Amino acid sequence: MEKGKGIMGSGRRWAVDFSDNSTAPSSRDIPDPPGFARASVDQDDSTVSRQKKDAESNWKTQKAWEVAQAPFKNLLMMGFMMWMAGNTVHLFSIGITFSALWQPISALQGVGKVFEPYKDNKVDLLGPKLLFIALNLGGLALGVWKLNTLGLLPTHASDWVSSLPPAQEVEYSGGGIPL
Amino acid sequence: MDWHQQYIGKVKQAVFHTHKTGRKRVVASTEQNIIATLDLRRGEIFWRHVLGPNDVVDGIDIALGKYVITLSSGGSILRAWNLPDGQMVWESSLHGPKHSKPLLLTRNLIIEKDNVLIVFSNGRLNAVSCIDGEVLWKKDFEEESLEVQQVIQPPGSGFIYVVGFAASSQFEMYKINAKNGELLKHESTAFSGRFTGEVSLVSSETVVALDSTGSILLTISFHNGKISSQQTPVSNLLEDSPGLAVIIHPSVTGIFAIKTDAATIFIRVIGEGKLEVVEKTNHETVVSDALSISEGQQAFALVQHAGSSIHLTVKPAHDWDSNLLKESIKMDQQRGFVHKVFINNYIRTDRSHGFRALIVMEDHSLLLLQQGAIVWSREDGLASIIDVTTSELPVEKAGVSVAKVELNLFEWLKGHVLKLKGTLMLATPEDIAAIQHMRLKSSEKSKMTRDHNGFRKLLIALTRAGKLFALHTGDGRIVWSHLLQSLHKSESCRQPIVLNLYQWLVPHHHALDENPSVLVVGRCGPSSDALGVLSLVDSYTGKEFSSLSLVHSVAQVIPLPYTDSTEQRLHLLIDADKHAHLYPKTPEAIDSFQSEFSNVYWYSVDDDNGIIKGYALKTKCSSNVADEFCFDSRELWSIVLPSESEKIITTATRKLNEAVHTQAKLIADQDVMYKYISSNLLFVATVAPKASGEIGSVTPEESWLVVYLIDTVTGRVLHRMTHHGSQGPVQAVLSENWVVYHYFNLRAHRYEMSVIEIYDQSRADNKDVWKLVVGNHNLTSPVSSYSRAEVITKSQSYFFTHSLKAIAVTLTVKGITSKQLLIGTIGDQVLALDKRFLDPRRSVNPTQAEREEGIIPLTDSLPIIPQSYITHSLRVEGLQSIITVAAKLESTTLVFAHGLDLFFTHYAPSRTYDSLTEDFSYALLLITIVALVAAIFVTWILSQRKELQDRWR
């Protein structure tokens, strides 16, 4: 509530809140004015605020989905850059590959923070979060795939045997042409 | 970093040239077929010519005071060289009807104003003009059995005597007109005995000969063409029976010498054939030739040993009892006996005669003696190195701190500031001089301690004379030298021959305090069943700490890859009867050997009969003498090459100390091939027996070259390949899993180099990544040759421009650095050739992946890149072999090439990727860092200030 107000009321210097949602008169020192029926007001107010809340949560859900879909564009862009970078190992391709790896990882680390503004007990953030994570994982996979095409992943037998020392020999033989 | 030393070898004959006012020099011919002139003041070489292995120098002399005359190749080539600069002036070839002893005579014989040389060679007497080498006249002596011994030209006469023996028992004398070669007189006399050959000329018309029993001396004079002779039994001259005597001919008028086992006896000829013993010396005595010092007066020198000094005596020829000079010179024991002496005289300021003597020692060194002192000496034994090994230097002791040897911080910084100035071209001439001085002074490279990079080592060289030299790799100086006493001529060992050098003890692990030592193997006599001699020498001090006279012969020495607890390497010596003897003879050695007993094999290559045989060791020797260090051999396999079609000319094996980093070879597309790495691999090259001669002696159809790769444990032929129309000589090098060899292709009329790489196909299935990740594979488990690995080979051939004298491969400490071949070219230079050029996977159009891997597109010939001559402009004359030693720095190989000359350098096949160069300016680096840090601070302060101003705005 506070957060939502803060966002909506940005730009205002000050504000007076006329709506009083409290139901218990005992909470105040001043008694209610005569003829003031607290219950009826409450009734009216709650409908208005419910509508308002619904609108807000709708808006939040929409925003959350938007945020969740944002990495997709990133993904396309990354794919294009990778295609441009080629398959040889040089500074440019390595830079792109590592940024392609780093971006999803950092995004996944901050997944809670990204969706915090849209946190609401009425808003279901699971769907957008899952989408966000899936897209970022996709981005990560793209990065790893690129790393592999660059030959920087130990996925071949050659990567594991390249430093194997020669096997020891059981027999020893010496000799040659007599001196 | 590099050093180059020039030598001439053991001097055979020396002629002084000291008459002119110019630089005094001595002309020498050596047993290595070199003609050289040396500076008489310092012993430096003015010029030098190597005449090649078949062009043996028979005689040298100086003619007309400006030409050096050489007779070589058994008397068939006569050359004149300009004395000051060594340019050849003329050459004439002298042929004749038959082979004979070559004799060169250069007296001042003048025919029609032409100075003439008299040369007897190939059964023909030639008179050759000094000016242009033209043969003025010739006279053949075609009689079949005639052996001409002397050509004599009595001074001032117009005729020449040619004396010799016919049918070994008939004395022949020919008198020949020196003007035109006309035969004036021929006389001959028969004797009852036979002659040994050598005669000694005691005057211009008298010779002394010894009969073949060595007991009767014949004095033959042919005065006025009449032969008269007189026989004197040697026993008449000496009381005790001297045994077999040999004439040594000092060519001094009136005196000759005979040498027996015990003594040298000088005998004077008085009057008509009367002999008189003038002196009998029991020491080793060497006599020089006669030298005419003034009109009609001759002198000669005698050198005798007495303890640690030698006595040089110069005597006039006519009077034995008086001495012109008597000097005693302290002589290094490590030089052995005097072998030859040459004398020369000079006029002192008081008009008396002074003498200088050039002596050749047992270790082939050359020394000039003058006024009782050694003026200079040359270690010419180093011109005939047999084998080289290396030894580490001692570790720097705690007592000697590095700071003391080097400089303090301030001086260090000052030096680097100077260097920096030099690189920035700000240095004044004084600064440059200071920098040069600093570089020279920095004794860093010639210190006697081990260095961090492993560049400083001792090169231990064994020479043919039986002397060991330790050379410092930093500057090539001789650290110590030692004439092996055990390989000295003695009663028990009459004809010692040094064979080889092995590393006996390399300090390691728990024997770090021990000094390293080397094993020298020798043999008493030239035959293969002569008894062996072992000698152990400390590598730091050069002291022979142990020597053994073996009771068996030495046919092969096999260093085993096992050591005993004191780190002494076990060696197996195979004798001529195929018994194996284990050394060192300690119980501990036999214990450690027993555990590996069944895995030790040996093989022998009989290149005469074309048989290669493999043996295993059986139980103890069956001979009646109980010797637990002796083992019988059991023949396991033999490969008999058909003698009518194949003759073994070359074999090659892997170096024992070669390190291989990996067994896998990565090829394009991350694929992997497994190298067949075995230290039991033998490369054998055979040629058709007809084609074993010189290149071009056979047609391509009759000639072929067959190469084999043989496993020496099982005798299995892993690969066999035939090159039709090719012939030797073959030079080969085997390293890791490849062999490179060089031969001549008769069809293409060019030299070729081929490479064979051998891969283990039975390991190729190890391609499952997961198994490899978990380590579930058998790639590192010990392998046996009996497991019959399935091998495949790849090979390729290329043309190569040069013919080769030697081939080697770079060696690094871990074997990671890529390899280069070091090729000793016919021009006595060392050329480095990247192994990538000899890669059987080269193709004309390599794919992109192959290019990335570094495969060079195939060309038909190997490139010779002028910059890759590692000897630069220097030549290693008479190059014999190239030795590579790994430094501690992985990138660097130490290369030592030897022949007549020595050359040493560091070589980094893939550049020095693991160290900064010597010239690296640390000061520049330091200053750059300081400047950068300062810049960071300044910009930080500036940016702070700017931010503050922005806030206030």
Side-chain angles (χ1 to χ4, degrees):
Chain A
M1 187 92 188
E2 289 298 312
K3 270 274 160 72
K5 207 198 269 172
I7 288 167
M8 288 160 78
S10 64
R12 290 183 201 148
R13 286 289 162 110
W14 53 272
V16 177
D17 194 0
F18 288 102
S19 62
D20 189 350
N21 293 335
S22 55
T23 45
S26 58
S27 68
R28 291 165 178 264
D29 299 337
I30 312 152
D32 287 343
F36 179 75
R38 188 169 287 272
S40 65
V41 170
D42 265 351
Q43 197 69 33
D44 275 353
D45 251 20
S46 69
T47 50
V48 173
S49 72
R50 196 178 298 129
Q51 278 171 2
K52 211 161 130 195
K53 267 184 200 161
D54 279 351
E56 201 176 289
S57 66
N58 273 345
W59 177 84
K60 275 183 182 170
T61 326
Q62 204 186 328
K63 266 292 182 207
W65 279 111
E66 264 175 40
V67 168
Q69 278 164 13
F72 184 67
K73 272 183 270 171
N74 227 340
L75 210 68
L76 288 181
M77 170 118 130
M78 223 56 208
F80 178 70
M81 296 241 302
M82 280 174 182
W83 177 69
M84 290 292 285
N87 276 350
T88 47
V89 180
H90 51 79
L91 200 66
F92 188 57
S93 63
I94 286 185
I96 284 182
T97 311
F98 276 94
S99 80
L101 285 172
W102 179 244
Q103 269 186 4
I105 290 170
S106 64
L108 286 175
Q109 273 178 343
V111 68
K113 238 177 208 163
V114 171
F115 285 97
E116 204 159 327
Y118 318 112
K119 207 157 123 192
D120 201 330
N121 37 15
K122 291 215 174 128
V123 181
D124 183 24
L125 281 177
L126 188 69
K129 266 189 183 170
L130 280 179
L131 181 70
F132 184 81
I133 289 169
L135 282 174
N136 272 314
L137 283 178
L140 196 68
L142 195 70
V144 171
W145 171 79
K146 183 68 190 171
L147 208 61
N148 192 25
T149 55
L150 286 180
L152 298 177
L153 281 190
T155 52
H156 294 273
S158 57
D159 301 315
W160 295 93
V161 295
S162 63
S163 59
L164 273 186
Q168 255 194 338
E169 279 179 286
V170 177
E171 292 94 356
Y172 178 80
S173 172
I177 298 176
L179 294 168
Chain B
M1 208 156 84
D2 307 353
W3 48 263
H4 182 229
Q5 295 174 356
Q6 295 187 313
Y7 294 102
I8 58 172
K10 187 180 183 186
V11 171
K12 208 155 65 167
Q13 199 182 347
V15 181
F16 290 88
H17 179 76
T18 51
H19 304 302
K20 288 273 170 62
T21 46
R23 307 186 83 168
K24 298 195 181 349
R25 50 187 91 203
V26 58
V27 183
S29 73
T30 70
E31 286 177 359
Q32 276 78 13
N33 305 337
I34 291 179
I35 311 288
T37 58
L38 306 175
D39 185 349
L40 212 47
R41 280 188 205 287
R42 285 187 302 276
E44 285 162 4
I45 298 171
F46 277 132
W47 55 261
R48 181 177 64 155
H49 290 295
V50 183
L51 296 188
N54 302 322
D55 202 4
V56 180
V57 184
D58 303 306
I60 58 166
D61 212 332
I62 293 175
L64 296 176
K66 59 179 179 179
Y67 293 154
V68 177
I69 307 292
T70 64
L71 183 67
S72 61
S73 282
S76 40
I77 302 173
L78 188 69
R79 294 188 181 99
W81 316 83
N82 193 15
L83 185 59
D85 57 4
Q87 302 251 18
M88 197 199 282
V89 183
W90 51 258
E91 179 184 80
S92 42
S93 53
L94 308 172
H95 297 290
K98 59 168 190 171
H99 183 75
S100 74
K101 191 169 119 179
L103 298 162
L104 173 70
L105 191 71
T106 53
R107 287 279 168 75
N108 292 327
L109 184 64
I110 295 167
I111 303 171
E112 290 157 8
K113 294 178 185 169
D114 202 353
N115 279 51
V116 169
L117 303 164
I118 302 294
V119 179
F120 183 85
S121 68
N122 296 327
R124 178 179 286 177
L125 188 69
N126 301 278
V128 184
S129 162
C130 266
I131 306 297
D132 52 6
E134 196 192 333
V135 178
L136 298 176
W137 53 259
K138 54 195 170 204
K139 169 90 181 88
D140 285 357
F141 293 86
E142 288 185 40
E143 198 184 327
E144 197 48 51
S145 61
L146 179 71
E147 280 179 55
V148 173
Q149 294 295 340
Q150 288 282 354
V151 177
I152 308 145
Q153 202 254 320
S157 66
F159 49 85
I160 297 162
Y161 288 118
V162 175
V163 296
F165 304 117
S168 304
S169 62
Q170 197 165 335
F171 182 77
E172 304 267 342
M173 189 277 292
Y174 297 85
K175 190 177 177 184
I176 290 178
N177 188 342
K179 296 262 188 294
N180 51 17
E182 196 187 325
L183 181 64
L184 297 174
K185 197 175 262 181
H186 174 210
E187 292 276 330
S188 72
T189 316
F191 288 95
S192 52
R194 295 172 70 83
F195 297 101
T196 45
E198 288 287 310
V199 296
S200 181
L201 190 68
V202 288
S203 76
S204 60
E205 290 177 336
T206 312
V207 294
V208 176
L210 202 65
D211 82 335
S212 55
T213 58
S215 56
I216 297 168
L217 279 168
L218 279 161
T219 318
I220 307 158
S221 76
F222 37 95
H223 188 65
N224 289 332
K226 288 213 172 49
I227 300 177
S228 59
S229 71
Q230 194 149 8
Q231 300 194 3
T232 317
V234 177
S235 50
N236 280 15
L237 299 168
L238 304 162
E239 296 82 43
D240 51 338
S241 168
L244 197 72
V246 184
I247 278 196
I248 52 174
H249 46 104
S251 81
V252 181
T253 309
I255 292 170
F256 69 98
I258 56 173
K259 196 175 175 182
T260 63
D261 290 341
T264 307
I265 301 127
F266 292 89
I267 299 166
R268 181 157 49 187
V269 183
I270 11 172
E272 278 294 303
K274 291 234 167 39
L275 302 179
E276 180 195 36
V277 174
V278 284
E279 192 167 327
K280 187 179 163 188
T281 56
N282 294 324
H283 308 292
E284 281 280 324
T285 307
V286 185
V287 196
S288 78
D289 279 353
L291 169 81
S292 15
I293 45 171
S294 59
E295 203 59 48
Q297 203 184 0
Q298 282 189 323
F300 66 98
L302 279 175
V303 178
Q304 284 169 311
H305 279 269
S308 63
S309 58
I310 58 165
H311 297 304
L312 172 70
T313 324
V314 179
K315 288 174 188 290
H318 56 87
D319 183 7
W320 182 269
D321 299 320
S322 69
N323 291 333
L324 291 172
L325 178 82
K326 197 167 170 63
E327 282 170 352
S328 176
I329 295 134
K330 197 133 181 69
M331 186 58 69
D332 184 3
Q333 290 278 300
Q334 301 305 336
R335 294 194 189 277
F337 294 123
V338 175
H339 272 192
K340 281 199 169 90
V341 57
F342 305 95
I343 54 162
N344 175 238
N345 67 322
Y346 59 95
I347 309 288
R348 293 212 190 95
T349 42
D350 59 349
R351 297 207 158 263
S352 66
H353 287 288
F355 292 92
R356 53 172 83 90
L358 194 67
I359 56 171
V360 181
M361 305 297 290
E362 192 180 359
D363 67 343
H364 299 186
S365 61
L366 188 67
L367 298 97
L368 184 77
L369 309 179
Q370 193 170 337
Q371 291 171 348
I374 299 170
V375 182
W376 51 258
S377 63
R378 290 179 58 87
E379 293 290 349
D380 278 303
L382 285 169
S384 52
I385 291 176
I386 295 175
D387 200 4
V388 180
T389 185
T390 55
S391 162
E392 293 287 345
L393 283 161
V395 187
E396 200 145 357
K397 289 283 184 309
V400 189
S401 73
V402 183
K404 238 178 217 166
V405 181
E406 284 165 6
L407 308 156
N408 62 36
L409 186 71
F410 176 69
E411 278 180 55
W412 180 84
L413 213 65
K414 209 170 85 180
H416 277 289
V417 167
L418 268 179
K419 262 193 196 171
L420 176 72
K421 269 179 152 179
T423 41
L424 296 178
M425 304 200 182
L426 295 170
T428 57
E430 294 97 79
D431 288 345
I432 291 171
I435 293 167
Q436 289 293 338
H437 180 67
M438 238 166 45
R439 288 215 176 124
L440 282 176
K441 204 183 69 178
S442 73
S443 53
E444 185 74 356
K445 64 173 191 179
S446 54
K447 267 204 288 193
M448 279 304 295
T449 51
R450 214 173 284 189
D451 68 332
H452 199 65
N453 294 332
F455 290 164
R456 291 201 296 263
K457 280 182 202 294
L458 286 179
L459 286 168
I460 302 192
L462 179 67
T463 65
R464 202 166 297 282
K467 196 173 187 182
L468 270 181
F469 286 91
L471 305 175
H472 196 288
T473 56
D475 51 4
R477 71 173 189 275
I478 295 166
V479 178
W480 53 258
S481 60
H482 180 78
L483 192 70
L484 295 166
Q485 288 306 314
S486 55
L487 284 162
H488 217 63
K489 203 182 276 186
S490 65
E491 280 301 308
S492 58
C493 193
R494 286 182 177 274
Q495 217 181 339
I497 295 171
V498 282
L499 294 174
N500 240 331
L501 188 62
Y502 300 90
Q503 283 191 333
W504 181 256
L505 192 151
V506 179
H508 213 56
H509 303 313
H510 42 272
L512 266 179
D513 296 334
E514 298 270 338
N515 286 2
S517 52
V518 291
L519 169 72
V520 181
V521 179
R523 163 195 292 167
C524 294
S527 69
S528 63
D529 51 1
L531 297 184
V533 179
L534 299 186
S535 170
L536 292 170
V537 181
D538 188 314
S539 303
Y540 288 169
T541 59
K543 293 279 172 297
E544 192 173 2
F545 63 85
S546 169
S547 71
L548 280 170
S549 287
L550 307 184
V551 290
H552 56 83
S553 57
V554 180
Q556 293 197 30
V557 181
I558 301 168
L560 297 172
Y562 320 115
T563 55
D564 68 0
S565 69
T566 53
E567 295 289 327
Q568 294 187 90
R569 183 165 292 272
L570 305 190
H571 284 73
L572 215 52
L573 269 63
I574 312 291
D575 66 14
D577 303 325
K578 309 217 180 318
H579 293 301
H581 303 265
L582 181 72
Y583 289 87
K585 288 197 169 187
T586 56
E588 203 184 346
I590 201 117
D591 282 347
S592 54
F593 183 63
Q594 281 299 354
S595 59
E596 297 291 341
F597 181 77
S598 58
N599 289 328
V600 174
Y601 299 80
W602 66 277
Y603 66 95
S604 76
V605 180
D606 184 351
D607 52 351
D608 294 330
N609 302 319
I611 301 171
I612 307 165
K613 280 183 178 172
Y615 302 88
L617 298 181
K618 232 163 47 178
T619 46
K620 300 273 177 327
C621 272
S622 52
S623 64
N624 39 14
V625 187
D627 183 1
E628 58 171 334
F629 299 98
C630 172
F631 303 94
D632 273 341
S633 298
R634 171 167 56 99
E635 191 180 318
L636 286 182
W637 52 267
S638 64
I639 297 171
V640 183
L641 302 168
S643 60
E644 64 274 11
S645 65
E646 291 184 35
K647 183 182 188 310
I648 297 173
I649 52 166
T650 307
T651 62
T653 52
R654 258 182 67 190
K655 268 194 179 178
L656 270 182
N657 55 352
E658 187 188 54
V660 182
H661 175 61
T662 172
Q663 55 174 299
K665 183 181 166 92
L666 309 188
I667 53 176
D669 301 326
Q670 273 96 37
D671 213 348
V672 61
M673 290 177 87
Y674 292 92
K675 301 173 186 171
Y676 181 83
I677 293 168
S678 166
S679 55
N680 303 327
L681 204 59
L682 172 72
F683 169 84
V684 178
T686 66
V687 289
K690 267 189 185 174
S692 55
E694 275 186 27
I695 289 167
S697 55
V698 281
T699 58
E701 286 72 32
E702 291 174 308
S703 167
W704 52 84
L705 172 78
V706 191
V707 296
Y708 295 85
L709 283 172
I710 297 168
D711 184 298
T712 55
V713 172
T714 59
R716 179 182 168 206
V717 177
L718 296 166
H719 184 63
R720 179 183 190 274
M721 187 159 65
T722 310
H723 296 272
H724 289 287
S726 296
Q727 96 174 104
V730 175
Q731 296 280 352
V733 61
L734 203 155
S735 168
E736 288 194 14
N737 68 324
W738 51 262
V739 57
V740 168
Y741 52 100
H742 176 273
Y743 54 91
F744 190 77
N745 185 334
L746 287 165
R747 281 186 217 279
H749 305 289
R750 291 168 90 170
Y751 284 101
E752 265 187 8
M753 271 173 109
S754 283
V755 58
I756 302 175
E757 290 192 353
I758 176 162
Y759 292 97
D760 190 345
Q761 198 59 28
S762 52
R763 294 175 164 241
D765 306 331
N766 282 302
K767 282 196 174 141
D768 191 338
V769 180
W770 289 111
K771 272 192 178 171
L772 293 168
V773 173
V774 210
N776 186 13
H777 59 81
N778 59 356
L779 288 175
T780 46
S781 53
V783 288
S784 164
S785 290
Y786 287 105
S787 60
R788 286 192 78 84
E790 200 182 312
V791 295
I792 54 162
T793 52
K794 289 166 177 278
S795 71
Q796 217 167 52
S797 299
Y798 320 87
F799 291 127
F800 189 68
T801 318
H802 289 301
S803 65
L804 255 61
K805 281 191 167 178
I807 185 165
V809 67
T810 57
L811 193 70
T812 54
V813 68
K814 292 210 166 58
I816 300 170
T817 311
S818 63
K819 303 246 171 194
Q820 292 207 0
L821 293 165
L822 299 176
I823 291 168
T825 65
I826 195 74
D828 293 324
Q829 294 197 301
V830 180
L831 175 74
L833 182 69
D834 202 321
K835 168 68 179 61
R836 288 194 301 143
F837 287 111
L838 289 135
D839 185 341
R841 292 177 52 244
R842 282 175 75 183
S843 57
V844 179
N845 279 316
T847 62
Q848 183 61 35
E850 280 175 339
R851 270 179 208 272
E852 271 173 37
E853 185 200 331
I855 285 190
I856 303 162
L858 181 63
T859 47
D860 63 345
S861 61
L862 296 172
I864 289 170
I865 303 155
Q867 292 96 311
S868 55
Y869 280 102
I870 63 169
T871 43
H872 318 300
S873 60
L874 302 169
R875 285 169 53 134
V876 188
E877 288 284 2
L879 181 66
Q880 266 181 358
S881 103
I882 302 165
I883 284 134
T884 53
V885 184
K888 254 186 225 161
L889 213 57
E890 169 58 28
S891 68
T892 310
T893 304
L894 310 181
V895 181
F896 179 62
H898 68 86
L900 294 168
D901 294 354
L902 312 180
F903 177 79
F904 175 85
T905 190
H906 300 167
Y907 186 63
S910 310
R911 311 207 173 218
T912 44
Y913 55 80
D914 49 3
S915 71
L916 297 169
T917 58
E918 271 177 29
D919 296 336
F920 184 81
S921 176
Y922 289 92
L924 190 62
L925 181 74
L926 213 69
I927 287 175
T928 314
I929 290 170
V930 168
L932 281 175
V933 169
I936 287 169
F937 266 102
V938 169
T939 47
W940 183 63
I941 290 164
L942 285 178
S943 76
Q944 289 261 309
R945 199 174 289 166
K946 188 153 187 291
E947 208 172 310
L948 194 65
Q949 278 173 352
D950 281 352
R951 291 264 169 96
W952 280 110
R953 198 175 289 160

